[in-house]
Every structure is written in C-alpha cells, then in structure tokens.
Amino acid sequence: MSAGKLGALLVSKGLITNEQLSSAVALQAQEKTRLGSSLVKLGHVNENVLVSFLSTQYGIAAVSLEGTKVPKEVSRLVPKALCLKHMMVPISVENNRITLALSDPTNVSAIDDVRFMSNLEVSVVLATESGIQNAIDIAYQESENGLSDLEEFARDKTQTGIVANGQESIDDNDKADSKPVIKLINKIFLEAIRRKVSDIHIEPYETLMRVRFRIDGSLHEVMKLPNTFRTPVPARIKVMSNLDIAEKRLPQDGRIQIRTKEKAVDIRVSLVPTLYGEKIVMRILDRGGTTPDIEKMGMEPQQLEVFKKAAEQPYGMILVTGPTGSGKTTTLYSALSGLNTIDVNISTAEDPVEYTLLGINQVHVKESIGMSFAGALRSFLRQDPDIIMVGEIRDHETAEISVKAALTGHMVFSTLHTNDAPSTISRLRHMGLEPFLITAAVTCIEAQRLVRMLCPNCKEEDTSFDKKLLVEAEMPEDWLDTATIMKPKGCDKCAKTGYKGRKGIFEVMAMNEEIRDRVIRGASSDDLKKVAMASGMLTLRQSGLLKLSRGETTLQEVLNNSRPDGDLTKK
C-alpha cells in the first residue's frame, strides 16, 4: 500500500487526524522509513491497533510473534537482508507453502521475492513491526548472512571457480559453466517463462546485482545477487548466445534458443558495458505461443470493422504505429493469420522473427551482413507475392519500395514509430515521400498502446471515485452516467497486483477522400485528426476511456498511455 493510500484510509476511519498524518509523512521523508513506523514512533497510533485495523480491512489474519521460533530450515530459505528490506519474517513451511509474517499486507514485491527465491507458494499473515524485528533478530543471530542456498554457493569462492585472489578472470570458458551459474540462469529463465515475462534485466551495481522482470509492461525486482556473480553471469550468457566472452568494453547482441518440457523459446540478448559491469537485457520470444485473435486484442467493434475491411483489400498499405513494446508486431501477425489461406503467397521481413507461422515465408533481416529491409523487399517482389509484411519502415529507401509495392498490386503491412495515426503522414513526408504517393498507397493507419487490465477475479467498484476526474480526462458527457469505475484489489490469481494481462487501446484512421485531399494540400497532423474524428474515428484517449467506463482498466492506465485530444474534441 502506498503511503498516500494508507494515510488517507486511516484518516477516513478516524484513527488519525490530517495534522498527525502530515507530521508522520514529514518524519517518513526525513528518516526514509515506512509511514506506519512513523505513525507509531510519533505515538499517533498504537502498532497493535494498526495491525488489527489492517487485518480487518484486508481480511488477513493477524498473529503475535512473541515466543515464535523460526526453524533453521525455514530461515535459510529467505536472506536476512531481504527480511529487513520488506520488514517480514518467514515463520513456517508446510505442504510446499511458506508462511510470511508481514507488516504491510499489500507488499507484492515481498511476496514475489520470496516466491521466486524459495520456489514455494506464499501465504501471508500480519504482525507488528517490532514483533517482526525481534523474530528476525532471533532467527538470524546464528547465521548472520541468511543467504539462500544459491547465494551461499556463490559466496563460496572455492566452489565457483570464478574469482581467484580477489581478481576477476574469464579466460577459461569452463569457468562460466560452473554449477551455480548454470543453476542461476536456468532458474531465472524458467521462472520468467512461467510468469510470462517479456524482458529480463540483470543490472550490476557497486555492491550487488539486481534481477528485474517486466510483467504486463511494468518492471518488478525479483532478486538481488552478490557481486561474485558480476563476471560469471555475463560470461555464461555470452557462451549461451555465441558472443565474445573476452569483450567487455563494447555492446554485444545475440540470441539464445532454449527448450523446456512444454515449449521452445527464443531469447534476444543485449549486453551494454556500464560503470560496474555489463548490464544484460533479454527479450523473451515464445516461438510456441499462439497468435492472438485480432478480435480479442481490444479493438472496439467500429475500429475492428474499419481495420478488417482495409486488410481484405487486394492491394494498398496498412501502417501500424506506436512505441516499442506496444504490440504492433502482434497486431500484424493477427491480421496475417486471418489472411493466411492456401491460395495466398505471404512473405515477411522481420528483425527478429517473433512468431513462426505455418504457410508464411519469414525472413530474418540481418543488417550486419547486408540483409536489410529494403533488400528483402526487392527479393520479395521477384517471388510473386500477394501480401508483404515489412517489420519496420526505418528509412526513405524502405518506405519508397513499400509504397511502390502497394501501387503495383500488392498488399503491404508495416510499422512505424509515431505518436498517433495522423502524425504518421508527417513522418512519411519527412522520409521524403511525395504526398500524392502517400495518398495513392496508404489505405489505413492504426496507432496503439497497451494498458493493463484489472484482474476479473478480484476487481471491485470504486465507490469513492470522483467523476470530475473523468471530465478532466475528456470523457464525453453521454458516457459519464453509465461509467462503472473499478479499482484493483489483489488476489492469488494476479499475484496480489490487482492487474492481469494487457489489451490494446487503438486509433484506426481510414484514408477517405477528405483526408486524402487534406494530405495533398499539406494539412497538419491536428487538421487531419479533426477530419478523422469528424468521420467517426475514436482516438487513443477515447478508446482508453471506453475501457475505463466498462470497468476493464483504471484511469491512471489510460492517462499514462494516451495524450489528451484537447480542443480537437470541441465542436
């Protein structure tokens, strides 16, 4: 629970006053501690009363830790440093489930860290901070490091074979294959696949290494590693992706292919040298994953109708735009899956190939050997194609060839990095394309973002929501009365986050005659947007607000992923 939410809750229930909250917040900022600790320290609330209140509020049992003795086999599962960081203590393990005593019932990071490090399911009970602190002191007094089995193994330099006499060395490749490193990397990969992670970040700092997962667009810290891993982890990753393990001064990119019992997974690897070592970012591409149905990606019915109508044309160009990680490639694959029939020849140029689709000819672009998007496109045009997908239009040459392909009887799909659909026209102009070529070739432009969806299992109506915020967010008046605003709660099915999965918000602009006429006359992006909205186009903001009004997401998600339309919405 954020300090703001906890403070507001305590004030609303009459446990503290606004003045007491202000003084506690000031102390919290000064001492870098938790709000609950500050309130107790100032004497504004009794910690037993606080825990009892939170127990009732969240339906989580409260326990007294007085006299509780944590078994050694339990304390060894969770490092002492992690317990102090989250103010928690493990108290028992039974039936593959570890029970944690926490002072904050909504500390999702604590639960995720323990689940990851122990490989056990987690149950939570509430206890006072003083009780937890005492239990930590007693449980870890005989083993001050409190390391997990993996970290203990890594600390033992005689076993790792990586650090000798305090000097880092990666001359011997076999050292990168030492057991603790293999165990660590495999554990990270398996956990990431299980949790449907899109990216893994491994970051070196002065005294530790941090592992973070990107889940549903947000980064979550899952592990801290001792510095003994600073050299073997990058070395092991380089060995797996066939990179130069002796090169630590320059960025390197590679790929790893791994297979679990259930599926085959491609991992795109990027290493960049930083102040304290090499930072590793790995993008997970699930080759065994199924392509989502275009109808289940979040488009509103009128948007889907426009997009599918454009995709079914015999020739032309459809452009999908948005920032990195907004789901552009997934949208294109979904469209291609619907068009992939026995009588159609489809070729794609991608960097990298993220899904493998039976019946589609997919080419992996490699700029380093001269295999560019433009080169692949030229080859496709000699391969009797019906439909062509270009992973990304990056330059004038690729844009020009794509347009010519669309004008000579082919259907072309591609992506661009632009903020919205109308501004794509300006981007093509800046690439050097003439307006008459743009209007002749482009049939539809779609912009998109991804927003987190509320967990359907635990979301609840936000009865205290101020609908003035909806007006400020530019929700149309006729939507206000029927809007049902929901809020996240958190349950086992969503790992206590309150969110589960993501869907797109979209802006689909069909190139009608009026828009084409404005493009020829050099109209601005705002002018094009006005014309498109007058023709019935839903903007990104409006698409997000529709999902908000149906209780599918939150206002914060909509505001974070769309810009206001401003005066364009006014008649």
Side-chain angles (χ1 to χ4, degrees):
M1 181 190 301
S2 69
K5 288 183 179 179
L6 174 59
L9 191 60
L10 293 172
V11 170
S12 68
K13 298 299 183 180
L15 291 181
I16 60 172
T17 65
N18 281 314
E19 291 76 14
Q20 290 173 329
L21 175 60
S22 298
S23 63
V25 168
L27 181 63
Q28 177 194 17
Q30 179 183 341
E31 298 188 352
K32 307 295 183 185
T33 185
R34 296 171 181 79
L35 180 63
S37 298
S38 298
L39 288 167
V40 172
K41 187 173 183 178
L42 291 171
H44 296 332
V45 65
N46 180 278
E47 65 175 345
N48 289 311
V49 172
L50 178 61
V51 167
S52 177
F53 168 74
L54 292 174
S55 172
T56 303
Q57 191 72 26
Y58 288 94
I60 300 174
V63 300
S64 170
L65 296 180
E66 187 175 353
T68 298
K69 186 174 182 180
V70 179
K72 289 182 180 179
E73 61 271 20
V74 175
S75 64
R76 276 199 292 263
L77 293 171
V78 184
K80 181 180 180 180
L82 194 64
C83 291
L84 293 172
K85 173 188 173 183
H86 293 301
M87 193 46 62
M88 67 181 183
V89 65
I91 55 178
S92 65
V93 173
E94 188 176 353
N95 296 327
N96 208 36
R97 181 175 291 272
I98 186 169
T99 299
L100 282 182
L102 281 167
S103 61
D104 180 351
T106 61
N107 189 341
V108 177
S109 295
I111 297 167
D112 284 345
D113 284 355
V114 173
R115 182 184 289 120
F116 180 72
M117 297 190 76
S118 67
N119 203 28
L120 299 171
E121 290 302 311
V122 179
S123 294
V124 173
V125 294
L126 292 181
T128 62
E129 282 201 15
S130 62
I132 291 173
Q133 184 64 61
N134 289 336
I136 292 173
D137 293 341
I138 295 170
Y140 293 91
Q141 64 183 354
E142 296 180 5
S143 177
E144 281 300 316
N145 56 18
L147 294 172
S148 67
D149 291 342
L150 182 59
E151 290 177 320
E152 281 184 340
F153 202 99
R155 292 274 190 192
D156 187 343
K157 297 179 182 180
T158 63
Q159 294 190 60
T160 64
I162 296 299
V163 179
N165 300 321
Q167 300 297 316
E168 296 181 351
S169 172
I170 54 170
D171 293 336
D172 184 352
N173 287 4
D174 289 339
K175 291 177 181 179
D177 291 334
S178 54
K179 290 183 179 180
V181 181
I182 295 174
K183 182 178 179 182
L184 171 69
I185 300 300
N186 289 349
K187 184 178 178 69
I188 289 174
F189 284 157
L190 290 171
E191 184 68 13
I193 293 167
R194 185 185 72 81
R195 294 171 64 174
K196 298 181 179 178
V197 169
S198 62
D199 299 88
I200 302 168
H201 291 237
I202 304 178
E203 303 156 319
Y205 295 100
E206 185 174 8
T207 60
L208 54 86
M209 292 185 75
R210 178 172 69 172
V211 181
R212 293 192 291 172
F213 287 169
R214 188 176 293 279
I215 304 172
D216 290 340
S218 298
L219 281 170
H220 302 268
E221 183 179 296
V222 295
M223 199 175 199
K224 282 191 174 74
L225 302 172
N227 266 344
T228 46
F229 276 123
R230 182 178 292 175
T231 296
V233 166
R236 173 64 182 164
I237 295 296
K238 288 174 186 177
V239 168
M240 294 177 76
S241 48
N242 295 317
L243 298 176
D244 182 357
I245 70 167
E247 180 57 76
K248 297 198 294 183
R249 302 164 300 169
L250 297 173
Q252 295 191 71
D253 296 316
R255 295 173 68 85
I256 300 171
Q257 292 186 334
I258 62 174
R259 180 177 292 277
T260 68
K261 293 179 181 178
E262 295 82 18
K263 61 179 71 175
V265 176
D266 283 346
I267 300 174
R268 190 168 60 190
V269 178
S270 172
L271 294 100
V272 175
T274 66
L275 184 61
Y276 295 109
E278 292 173 284
K279 174 176 177 176
I280 307 164
V281 176
M282 295 179 282
R283 168 66 58 87
I284 297 177
L285 307 172
D286 185 356
R287 287 193 295 158
T290 56
T291 305
D293 188 335
I294 190 84
E295 297 183 357
K296 297 178 181 178
M297 295 184 65
M299 283 192 192
E300 300 301 326
Q302 62 266 45
Q303 293 176 321
L304 185 61
E305 183 181 354
V306 171
F307 187 82
K308 291 179 74 173
K309 185 177 179 181
E312 290 166 0
Q313 297 301 309
Y315 58 87
M317 179 185 282
I318 293 178
L319 295 172
V320 177
T321 76
T324 302
S326 59
K328 301 186 296 296
T329 304
T330 303
T331 298
L332 289 180
Y333 277 122
S334 299
L336 290 179
S337 294
L339 301 171
N340 185 18
T341 57
I342 195 69
D343 59 335
V344 175
N345 180 18
I346 303 176
S347 295
T348 73
E350 307 168 59
D351 182 19
V353 175
E354 295 189 19
Y355 297 83
T356 54
L357 300 176
L358 182 65
I360 294 180
N361 309 290
Q362 298 172 271
V363 172
H364 182 195
V365 169
K366 295 181 180 178
E367 299 277 358
S368 60
I369 61 171
M371 183 60 168
S372 64
F373 282 115
L377 261 175
R378 288 195 184 92
S379 299
F380 288 166
L381 293 176
R382 296 190 289 271
Q383 293 271 316
D384 184 30
D386 296 300
I387 299 171
I388 296 171
M389 186 189 98
V390 185
E392 183 183 345
I393 294 178
R394 296 175 178 173
D395 51 43
H396 170 76
E397 185 181 16
T398 308
E400 188 176 43
I401 299 171
S402 299
V403 165
K404 287 180 179 178
L407 293 176
T408 54
H410 306 92
M411 192 68 208
V412 179
F413 292 83
S414 191
T415 71
L416 276 171
H417 292 283
T418 58
N419 290 325
D420 57 15
S423 63
T424 305
I425 300 297
S426 299
R427 179 85 175 101
L428 293 173
R429 283 184 191 146
H430 292 153
M431 283 185 172
L433 292 183
E434 295 292 341
F436 72 89
L437 287 175
I438 298 172
T439 56
V442 178
T443 55
C444 180
I445 302 173
E446 180 255 288
Q448 65 183 69
R449 302 288 189 278
L450 291 176
V451 296
R452 292 186 296 170
M453 295 286 102
L454 288 167
C455 174
N457 186 62
C458 64
K459 67 179 181 180
E460 56 187 19
E461 187 170 357
D462 191 349
T463 55
S464 62
F465 187 85
D466 186 354
K467 290 199 173 183
K468 289 181 181 178
L469 296 174
L470 299 180
V471 177
E472 293 174 5
E474 301 179 350
M475 180 177 282
E477 290 185 10
D478 52 339
W479 296 3
L480 291 173
D481 292 337
T482 57
T484 302
I485 308 303
M486 308 294 283
K487 63 181 180 181
K489 181 181 179 183
C491 66
D492 289 338
K493 292 188 177 180
C494 61
K496 306 295 182 183
T497 64
Y499 295 92
K500 192 170 180 64
R502 290 187 293 174
K503 282 190 178 180
I505 56 173
F506 298 88
E507 186 172 281
V508 183
M509 185 176 83
M511 294 288 285
N512 58 35
E513 288 305 316
E514 188 173 0
I515 291 176
R516 289 191 173 95
D517 180 61
R518 296 292 181 99
V519 172
I520 294 292
R521 288 191 284 162
S524 68
S525 296
D526 281 352
D527 287 339
L528 293 177
K529 192 169 185 176
K530 277 185 179 179
V531 173
M533 291 173 67
S535 302
M537 181 188 80
L538 286 173
T539 66
L540 286 168
R541 173 58 61 89
Q542 291 171 340
S543 178
L545 290 174
L546 272 174
K547 286 181 170 55
L548 172 67
S549 68
R550 294 194 294 261
E552 297 173 9
T553 189
T554 61
L555 179 60
Q556 195 60 47
E557 282 293 303
V558 175
L559 298 179
N560 287 345
N561 290 282
S562 64
R563 297 194 304 184
D565 299 316
D567 293 337
L568 299 178
T569 58
K570 299 176 182 177
K571 301 291 184 182

